[in-house]
């Protein structure tokens, strides 16, 4: 079999890329190792840039209708006696324009929306239960049950997540950073009127609550590395209390979880592959970078990689410019952006990594100033949203540290929008030309 683009892995990144390519008339084959839904929790928060990308693919309304819109993340810092000591907000509506919210969607449901949309194109071919085992010089070597077969292609894309065979075939090594904490993660029912995200912390505890549609809520609870096995030996009521202590809003709901087996362990890691491209191969999503989940960026980075690489491959095909050197545009656009998000998420993780009262106090003050200084607030939301990138400067750091006064005047919407990535920033080869 021969195709234009072969994609190894049908996760969010692989499917977003395949949909984009199929939509533009490129012949594409996706091989997905699993034949059923993935059994583990993965990212579920869609940031504004991902929604802009889905809008371009005609899926904005469908995703909105099957997700819970989140305008505000409510950040609560509690005292040792579990009383609210401070409250601040991260508010997506400081972002002007249509994409001014995040959306919580069930991970597998998002994949099924993309798969259904892609399946409407005759040039989209999806092999489920089919693993990519490696590559010859011209083909991907696939295995489905006992059967093995090859797919030849002009380009081969690794979208297999953390253990990427394509990355291995490209001989790209990664160096992982581990953290001193893990997370318990589980989804359970919620009250109908509980719709905004909540991050609740004390000096030594952290609970994130992200409401999903269908009156469910995804939760992440930070535990010290290595505590999971001991925790699981305790009665499930111990788990309920960890949650209800911090979040009375889940009382009466979290108790509906009656088995530790439903509660998964999530081990955060961070890495950034030194390159995304080699000859006619490229990697996207978790194959290229893994990010601490604190800022809810993992799946968005995969979707954003897919958008840039998809547009590039489709333009190459449309213009008959198939030189593999053109793939470097993808790395040029995405690498810097991904590095920035990795650092943001890493810093957010560090803010909750040390169980000391001084750290909790500094964190609370930093969030407070970030919310009250309109420029800092906009920068934070812009960087998290993926719509643009505006790094913090020395003045910002001084304001955050309380060394100089906060700004009071907000930027006007036109000035804010100047900070959004333009089409030229996203797809510079359209102006500069392909080889
Ligand atoms: C356990 C876990 C929990 C996570 N939780 C969160 C979270 O709470 N919040 C957050 O923001 N992010 C989270 N993430 C990160 C986020 O889900 C990922 O960043 C995102 O899913 C990356 O998408 P992807 O398509 O690159 O990779 P994946 O979603 O991992 O998809 C890769 C796909 O490739 C398939 N595959 C693997 N090997 C092969 C092969 N050889 N041949 C064919 N197919 C193959 C896999 O079955 C899978 O379907 C989590 C990740 C993991 C692993």
């Amino acid at each position: 079999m021969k195709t234009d683009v072969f994609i190894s892995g049908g996760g969010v990144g692989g499917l977003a890329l395949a949909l984009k390519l199929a939509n533009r008339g490129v012949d594409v084959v996706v091989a997905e190792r699993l034949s059923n839904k993935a059994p583990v929790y993965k990212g579920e928060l869609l940031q504004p840039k991902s929604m802009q990308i889905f809008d371009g693919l005609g899926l904005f309304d469908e995703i909105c209708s099957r997700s819970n819109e989140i305008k505000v993340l409510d950040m609560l810092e509690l005292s040792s006696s579990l009383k609210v000591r401070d409250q601040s907000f991260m508010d997506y509506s400081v972002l002007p324009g249509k994409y001014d919210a995040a959306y919580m969607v069930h991970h597998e449901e998002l994949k099924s929306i993309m798969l259904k949309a892609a399946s409407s194109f005759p040039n989209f071919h999806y092999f489920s239960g089919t693993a990519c085992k490696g590559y010859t010089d011209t083909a991907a070597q696939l295995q489905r049950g006992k059967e093995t077969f090859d797919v030849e292609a002009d380009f081969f894309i690794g979208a297999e997540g953390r253990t990427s065979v394509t990355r291995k075939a490209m001989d790209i090594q990664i160096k992982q950073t581990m953290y001193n904490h893990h997370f318990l993660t589980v989804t359970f029912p919620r009250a109908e009127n509980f719709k905004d995200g909540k991050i609740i912390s004390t000096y030594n505890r952290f609970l994130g609550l992200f409401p999903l549609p269908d009156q469910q809520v995804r939760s992440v609870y930070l535990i010290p590395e290595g505590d999971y096995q001991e925790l699981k030996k305790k009665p499930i009521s111990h788990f309920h209390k960890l949650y209800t202590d911090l979040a009375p809003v889940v009382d009466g709901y979290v108790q509906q979880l009656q088995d530790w087996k439903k509660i998964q362990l999530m081990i955060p890691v961070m890495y950034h592959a030194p390159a995304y491209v080699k000859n006619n191969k490229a990697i996207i999503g978790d194959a290229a970078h893994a990010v601490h989940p604190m800022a809810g960026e993992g799946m968005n980075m995969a979707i954003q990689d897919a958008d840039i690489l998809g547009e590039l491959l489709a333009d190459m095909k449309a213009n008959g410019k198939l030189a593999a050197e053109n793939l470097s545009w993808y790395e040029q656009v995405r690498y810097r952006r991904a590095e920035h998000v990795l650092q943001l998420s890493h810093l957010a993780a560090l803010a909750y990594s040390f169980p000391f009262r001084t750290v909790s106090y500094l964190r609370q003050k930093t969030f407070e100033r970030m919310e009250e200084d309109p420029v800092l607030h906009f920068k934070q939301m812009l960087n998290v949203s993926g719509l643009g990138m505006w790094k913090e400067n020395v003045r910002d750091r001084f304001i955050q540290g309380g060394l100089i006064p906060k700004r009071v005047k907000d930027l006007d919407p036109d000035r804010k929008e100047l900070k959004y990535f333009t089409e030229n920033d996203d797809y510079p080869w359209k102006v500069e030309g392909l080889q």
Side-chain angles (χ1 to χ4, degrees):
M1 179 177 193
K2 171 102 178 60
T3 183
D4 294 328
V5 178
F6 167 79
I7 302 172
S8 172
V12 274
L15 287 173
L17 176 60
L19 173 58
K20 177 126 192 170
L21 291 171
N23 202 13
R24 291 273 313 265
V26 179
D27 198 80
V28 58
V29 169
V30 177
E32 166 53 48
R33 185 173 59 181
L34 300 176
S35 29
N36 294 311
K37 289 181 178 180
V40 291
Y41 289 114
K42 286 198 177 178
E44 293 178 316
L45 185 83
L46 285 172
Q47 298 285 3
K49 179 71 179 180
S50 303
M51 293 306 287
Q52 184 189 48
I53 292 167
F54 284 126
D55 208 4
L57 293 166
L59 295 179
F60 182 85
D61 290 339
E62 188 173 359
I63 292 173
C64 284
S65 73
R66 290 163 76 173
S67 54
N68 176 52
E69 183 189 74
I70 297 204
K71 283 272 191 206
V72 167
L73 284 177
D74 189 0
M75 325 270 289
L76 294 160
E77 192 78 32
L78 309 187
S79 64
S80 308
S81 56
L82 304 177
K83 298 272 177 307
V84 177
R85 198 177 64 195
D86 193 63
Q87 182 172 25
S88 53
F89 298 96
M90 281 174 66
D91 188 348
Y92 282 95
S93 49
V94 301
L95 300 166
K98 180 174 178 183
Y99 312 107
D100 62 351
Y103 291 81
M104 279 297 288
V105 58
H106 293 284
H107 189 86
E108 289 300 324
E109 184 149 5
L110 178 65
K111 280 166 60 183
S112 76
I113 292 171
M114 286 193 276
L115 184 55
K116 187 170 139 241
S119 300
S120 67
F121 297 98
N123 47 317
F124 169 80
H125 317 280
Y126 181 78
F127 301 153
S128 80
T130 305
C132 176
K133 299 306 240 183
Y135 294 92
T136 65
D137 285 348
T138 53
Q141 300 171 303
L142 306 185
Q143 180 166 7
R144 182 167 43 201
K146 293 210 167 89
E147 178 198 4
T148 56
F149 58 103
D150 286 1
V151 172
E152 288 179 35
D154 292 328
F155 298 98
F156 299 93
I157 312 301
E160 311 98 333
R162 294 181 186 177
T163 48
S164 166
V165 287
T166 309
R167 187 179 67 221
K168 198 164 164 221
M170 293 160 77
D171 198 22
I172 293 175
Q173 316 293 331
I174 51 157
K175 214 171 109 212
Q176 296 200 26
T177 300
M178 307 301 285
Y179 292 87
N180 65 356
H181 55 266
H182 293 165
F183 292 95
L184 301 177
T185 187
V186 65
T187 291
F188 57 89
R190 64 166 165 89
E192 197 175 348
N193 62 357
F194 170 25
K195 294 199 153 188
D196 284 333
K198 278 187 194 299
I199 290 178
I200 307 156
S201 49
T202 68
Y203 79 97
N204 62 354
R205 295 171 70 180
F206 170 95
L207 173 65
L209 294 169
F210 302 93
L212 280 157
D214 315 322
Q215 291 180 42
Q216 293 189 297
V217 59
R218 168 84 182 272
S219 66
V220 285
Y221 185 84
L222 186 145
I223 57 171
E225 179 193 2
D227 272 17
Y228 182 57
Q229 293 307 333
E230 280 308 306
L231 263 175
K232 272 201 319 182
K233 291 183 191 152
K234 300 196 173 167
I236 191 78
S237 55
H238 177 80
F239 173 79
H240 300 152
K241 188 156 167 15
L242 293 177
Y243 274 47
T244 53
D245 274 358
L246 296 183
V249 69
V250 300
D251 200 0
Y253 295 94
V254 69
Q255 290 88 344
Q256 293 177 44
L257 288 168
Q258 280 301 320
D259 192 344
W260 275 102
K261 286 202 188 95
K262 297 240 184 302
I263 300 159
Q264 292 179 7
L265 178 69
M266 184 163 83
I267 301 177
V269 295
M270 175 175 82
Y271 58 78
H272 200 181
Y276 296 172
V277 170
K278 199 164 186 183
N279 304 322
N280 63 346
K281 293 192 181 67
I283 44 176
I284 65 169
D286 277 15
H289 36 62
V291 63
H292 189 285
M294 192 61 87
E297 294 286 357
M299 138 168 126
N300 296 282
M301 291 170 80
I303 293 164
Q304 290 161 29
D305 288 348
D307 175 62
I308 303 297
L309 182 58
E311 189 75 16
L312 175 62
L313 285 165
D315 284 349
M316 286 164 65
K317 165 103 200 265
N319 295 300
K321 304 270 190 186
L322 294 183
E325 290 74 26
N326 288 316
L327 289 184
S328 64
W329 281 112
Y330 156 59
E331 189 172 293
Q332 195 172 312
V333 174
R334 281 298 301 157
Y335 203 92
R336 238 167 38 96
R337 297 186 191 181
E339 183 62 28
H340 186 225
V341 173
L342 280 159
Q343 290 312 322
L344 268 183
S345 302
H346 182 61
L347 281 179
L350 292 186
Y352 291 98
S353 290
F354 304 101
F356 303 117
R357 285 173 212 280
T358 0
V359 175
S360 146
Y361 175 78
L362 289 173
R363 178 171 68 219
Q364 169 201 330
K365 288 288 158 213
T366 307
F367 283 140
E368 211 174 275
R369 290 190 197 103
M370 199 165 70
E371 184 202 336
E372 288 168 5
D373 182 299
V375 180
L376 270 181
H377 197 165
F378 172 67
K379 277 191 180 187
Q380 171 73 6
M381 298 317 292
L382 177 76
N383 290 327
V384 163
S385 73
L387 291 171
M389 189 166 91
W390 192 6
K391 293 189 178 173
E392 287 175 354
N393 56 26
V394 177
R395 184 176 177 195
D396 297 328
R397 297 272 182 235
F398 279 8
I399 293 171
Q400 273 177 347
L403 298 172
I404 58 174
K406 289 171 282 208
R407 286 160 286 214
V408 284
K409 194 171 174 307
D410 199 356
L411 301 167
D412 64 47
D414 289 350
R415 248 195 97 194
K416 286 182 175 177
E417 286 194 49
L418 284 177
K419 295 291 176 187
Y420 286 3
F421 295 130
T422 61
E423 184 166 304
N424 197 19
D425 295 328
D426 282 348
Y427 315 131
W429 60 87
K430 286 183 192 284
V431 174
E432 305 208 14
L434 294 166
Q435 298 185 38

